Amino acid sequence: MPPIEALIFAPLIVLAANIVFGISGFGLTLISIPLLAHLFPIKFVIPMVVLLDVVASLRQATRLRGGVYRTEFLALLPFMLAGMVAGAFLLVRLPAEVLLLALGALVLVYGAYYALRHDSVFRLARWTVAPIGVFAGAASAVLGVGAPLFILYLTGRGATPDHIRATMPVIFSFTTVGRIILFTVAGLFTREIVLTSAALVPMMLLGLYVGNRMHVGLSRETMVRIIGALLVLSGTSLILRALG
């Protein structure tokens, strides 16, 4: 049986992460995985969150498929899938302490980027699809936090906010379904992981329901900066835990 703090805080984390996702369309796995990693082993958290994430991703991808930025998505797809295979291998092989440290560092960097970023325009060359696609796919599989890299690439290739909003759920669908297949082959899903995910589904649905209906007096840019600051704190705490 999970410790009492996990029984109390895990549902609240899933609820809060999905409320934020419902409000902003951003940050579901970036918020939930680092916080849940304080309650469960990292090799338990990542497969668990994949199961929670897959239904919402498929639903959104089906609803928004007409606005997908197809040219860049198709360019990303083979490199993303190759990175996912490599990431699943690393998730099985690497010690939990190394994964926790890597997760903390990546979340800290992402948090700093979102907290401090400004709306400057930049362009990425076509060849960047290979390294970004592979690294983002690997980060998605091994740590569950590849979304900012996908957004970085799409933005750098001229995607509009509407393109990103429609394309990201499709990418999430491929990464979540792909990870479920890879994690199943690798034997990462246990009965306890599946039951814990199932128990948290009502809180996930409640969070999405509340988030989709909340109206807050914050711009999306301000919300992103707040999320970034929270990620900096979360990433720092994970690094200290891994090193301690």
Side-chain angles (χ1 to χ4, degrees), residues 43 81-95 99 137-138 141-142 179 182-183 185-186 188:
K43 293 189 179 184
L81 294 176
M84 288 171 57
V85 173
F89 175 81
L90 291 174
L91 183 59
V92 174
R93 298 288 182 176
L94 289 177
L99 293 174
V142 73
R179 281 182 288 165
L182 290 170
F183 291 177
V185 172
L188 294 175

Side-chain angles (χ1 to χ4, degrees), residues 75-161:
L76 269 173
L77 187 58
F79 299 106
M80 177 181 73
L81 294 176
M84 288 171 57
V85 173
F89 175 81
L90 291 174
L91 183 59
V92 174
R93 298 288 182 176
L94 289 177
E97 294 78 10
V98 174
L99 293 174
L100 198 63
L101 181 62
L103 175 62
L106 203 54
V107 168
L108 177 61
V109 170
Y110 286 162
Y113 168 72
Y114 281 110
L116 302 174
R117 74 174 187 167
H118 53 85
D119 294 327
S120 58
V121 178
F122 65 95
R123 292 287 295 181
L124 292 175
R126 165 62 73 183
W127 65 265
T128 61
V129 68
I132 292 177
V134 169
F135 190 77
S140 294
V142 73
L143 300 172
V145 290
L149 290 172
F150 292 124
I151 294 173
L152 177 70
Y153 175 78
L154 292 173
T155 303
R157 293 297 297 168
T160 66

Side-chain angles (χ1 to χ4, degrees), residues 159-180:
T160 66
D162 287 340
H163 280 142
I164 292 173
R165 182 170 178 266
T167 307
M168 289 307 296
V170 177
I171 291 175
F172 291 152
S173 296
F174 274 86
T175 58
T176 52
V177 172
R179 281 182 288 165
I180 287 173

Side-chain angles (χ1 to χ4, degrees), residues 13 17 20-21 26-37 49 53 103-114 139 143-149 151 168 172 179 224 227-228 230-232 234-235 238:
I13 290 169
V20 171
F21 180 67
F26 166 86
L28 174 56
T29 57
L30 273 176
I31 293 172
S32 60
I33 288 177
L35 294 178
L36 289 170
V49 173
D53 193 32
L103 175 62
L106 203 54
V107 168
L108 177 61
V109 170
Y110 286 162
Y113 168 72
Y114 281 110
L143 300 172
V145 290
L149 290 172
I151 294 173
M168 289 307 296
F172 291 152
R179 281 182 288 165
V224 167
I227 292 171
L230 293 174
L231 290 176
V232 168
S234 180
L238 286 174

